[in-house]
Amino acid sequence: MTLALTLGLSTALPLALAAPAFAQDDGPLRIEITDGVVEPMPIAIAAFQGSDEVTGLVKNLIAADLTGTDLFREIPSDAHLSQRDSFEEPIAYEDWRAINAEALVTGEVSVEGDTVSVKFRLFDVISGHPLGDGMQMQAAKGDWRRAAHKVADQVYARLTGEKPYFDSRVAFMQETGPKDARRKRLGVMDYDGANIDWLTDDSALVLSPRMSPDGNSILYTSFETGFPQIEVMDVASVTSRPMTQSADSMSFSPRYSPDGRWIVYSMDKAGNSDIWQMDPATGASRPLIESPAIETSPSYSPDGTQIVFESDRSGTPQLYTIPADGSAEPTRISFADGRYGTPVWSPLGDLIAFTRQIGEKFHIGVMRADGSNEKILTESFLDEGPTWAPNGRVVMFTRVTPGGDGEPRLHSVDITGRNMRPLDLDFAASDPAWGPLLP
């Protein structure tokens, strides 16, 4: 699919060149994502211009993306005093101030043949000025959701100063069947659970998908041979090939380095699990961490210089970091009560998310890379397997309901721990793996 972007509503550019707009300082109106954020920013999204049925869908999806963050509150359309007749019409700021809007989004959707074009502008109602340039997204009509996500990404980025995450995909496992005989298949979907593509059937057990840095391939653990081994799936062609093949060892929990140059994974031989590193281009591999302890769940820092992993070398599962080349001894970073596991480094490098068991409950938490400032975000019968949004400010995870018929469901939570949301899926799902922001 091709998605084009226009800046200033005049010059066509590749969408990848939209990145500078995410970091620009467009004015004083800015909401900061901190623990202190309590009241969402009131924003108005004027009725988009356009007669095609897609027009309302685009506007509604933009609103859902923004309000779903819990950082924004949409002012209902029946409260709007201004009824705009065209996209180019001047903004009557006093009308929007009267309903306490702080920001205003205007837009227009047009369809020509199989192409949909979405224009938008963002305004600071308080100061009475535009926030950045207007933009135009173009896509195949069937891909109108991507255009809407891109608009929401731009609005989010300009109003928060953070990188966006709406136009991204998530790999996951669908689960069916009884709890003691689950059948699983691998799929990818939009971040909000829409547009699902299935990559495997449920004839062979597959686990722990992990997206490549460019989102074009997915690593996962396959039991097709009866023994867990790592395979890689090309998303576009839906073809897979084995990365490990051994009759005397089990390989699992793979993850790419940020540049895609390496894969780290766990290999179990004779009941002992160590961390290994592989060159995916050649298949050459070497042990990175070897000890009598059980080590698993490795994850690279975003600059590729360190790896965080889980180890029971201290007696209970705890979190450790080590230089990515294995040149130094591991450093323990978790010290509180309970058992720690499934660590994953934030794309921003500032935090590590993890699963922590305290008594009979499992939690999702975050800490700094040195183990300080630990914060528990969730509490449940069983929360596990966090994965980061591309902007490093939202975590998706698996929540399993208690009881003999308990089912796994996907949830997300922001780093404040307040905005907890289930994904809108009508089936059991687990093992989410968030991919990069799409170009």
Side-chain angles (χ1 to χ4, degrees):
M1 181 196 68
T2 301
L3 191 63
L5 171 105
T6 303
L7 294 175
L9 303 180
S10 59
T11 306
L13 294 171
L15 192 57
L17 296 185
F22 301 153
Q24 68 188 26
D25 185 0
D26 291 317
L29 184 61
R30 179 65 58 83
I31 183 171
E32 295 184 6
I33 303 176
T34 69
D35 285 352
V37 174
V38 177
E39 286 297 325
M41 175 188 286
I43 62 172
I45 304 177
F48 276 29
Q49 306 299 308
S51 58
D52 192 273
E53 60 184 8
V54 171
T55 302
L57 298 176
V58 169
K59 185 263 186 186
N60 290 341
L61 183 56
I62 293 168
D65 283 346
L66 295 172
T67 58
T69 67
D70 208 33
L71 298 173
F72 306 99
R73 173 177 61 85
E74 184 188 12
I75 297 174
S77 57
D78 58 7
H80 296 183
L81 301 180
S82 286
Q83 303 300 321
R84 297 173 56 78
D85 296 321
S86 76
F87 180 70
E88 303 296 339
E89 181 180 326
I91 303 299
Y93 287 105
E94 62 278 5
D95 287 349
W96 300 105
R97 293 189 192 106
I99 61 172
N100 297 319
E102 295 183 13
L104 169 67
V105 180
T106 66
E108 180 179 80
V109 178
S110 59
V111 177
E112 294 185 12
D114 293 329
T115 300
V116 60
S117 177
V118 182
K119 298 177 182 179
F120 91 98
R121 285 195 177 110
L122 176 64
F123 300 90
D124 180 345
V125 175
I126 296 175
S127 67
H129 293 95
L131 279 172
D133 296 325
M135 289 189 176
Q136 179 171 312
M137 318 290 177
Q138 288 185 325
K141 185 177 179 180
D143 294 319
W144 63 267
R145 290 181 56 87
R146 279 208 63 197
H149 286 321
K150 284 297 186 190
V151 171
D153 275 337
Q154 285 289 322
V155 174
Y156 174 91
R158 296 181 187 189
L159 292 178
T160 66
E162 300 277 350
K163 293 181 179 180
Y165 66 97
F166 303 126
D167 188 29
S168 58
R169 300 275 278 170
V170 178
F172 69 100
M173 306 305 307
Q174 182 195 40
E175 299 198 15
T176 57
K179 194 171 185 178
D180 59 351
R182 286 276 199 251
R183 301 178 70 88
K184 302 187 180 186
R185 62 172 173 167
L186 173 62
V188 291
M189 61 183 176
D190 291 355
Y191 94 100
D192 56 4
N195 285 343
I196 297 174
D197 295 315
W198 299 111
L199 304 182
T200 68
D201 58 26
D202 61 3
S203 59
L205 180 63
V206 292
L207 300 171
S208 305
R210 297 291 182 263
M211 285 265 202
S212 64
D214 59 10
N216 292 332
S217 61
I218 298 174
L219 293 169
Y220 59 95
T221 304
S222 172
F223 285 75
E224 187 173 2
T225 64
F227 225 45
Q229 299 294 334
I230 296 170
E231 295 195 7
V232 61
M233 170 78 70
D234 180 84
V235 176
S237 63
V238 196
T239 57
S240 63
R241 60 184 176 89
M243 299 299 291
T244 61
Q245 293 176 296
S246 175
D248 63 352
S249 65
M250 298 183 290
S251 299
F252 51 96
S253 297
R255 196 179 293 270
Y256 282 102
S257 63
D259 60 3
R261 176 70 177 82
W262 302 101
I263 293 171
V264 286
Y265 61 100
S266 298
M267 179 182 289
D268 186 300
K269 288 186 176 182
N272 185 67
S273 175
D274 292 315
I275 305 297
W276 284 61
Q277 186 179 60
M278 175 192 294
D279 180 346
T282 65
S285 61
R286 69 181 182 98
L288 190 65
I289 305 172
E290 287 185 299
S291 80
I294 295 176
E295 277 114 6
T296 187
S297 301
S299 171
Y300 279 96
S301 62
D303 63 6
T305 63
Q306 297 186 78
I307 292 172
V308 63
F309 64 98
E310 169 192 342
S311 174
D312 67 354
R313 62 180 57 205
S314 63
T316 59
Q318 300 291 330
L319 305 186
Y320 294 78
T321 59
I322 192 172
D325 60 3
S327 59
E329 288 297 310
T331 299
R332 181 174 170 178
I333 61 171
S334 63
F335 293 93
D337 294 337
R339 302 160 66 93
Y340 290 79
T342 64
V344 57
W345 224 300
S346 162
L348 299 182
D350 57 341
L351 297 172
I352 293 171
F354 55 86
T355 302
R356 180 179 168 194
Q357 181 183 3
I358 307 174
E360 299 299 318
K361 293 186 176 181
F362 288 74
H363 311 259
I364 300 298
V366 295
M367 64 171 66
R368 296 201 176 277
D370 61 2
S372 63
N373 290 33
E374 179 175 328
K375 180 181 179 64
I376 296 299
L377 304 180
T378 77
E379 178 179 331
S380 177
F381 165 74
L382 179 54
D383 289 347
E384 61 180 355
T387 181
W388 287 98
N391 71 343
R393 288 297 174 255
V394 179
V395 173
M396 192 178 294
F397 61 95
T398 303
R399 168 166 288 184
V400 181
T401 55
D405 57 351
E407 285 190 336
R409 297 283 175 170
L410 300 185
H411 288 64
S412 67
V413 63
D414 67 8
I415 58 172
T416 71
R418 283 195 298 267
N419 186 28
M420 172 86 69
R421 292 178 180 268
L423 256 69
D424 186 17
L425 298 173
D426 59 3
F427 52 79
S430 62
D431 287 342
W434 219 316
L437 194 70
L438 297 174

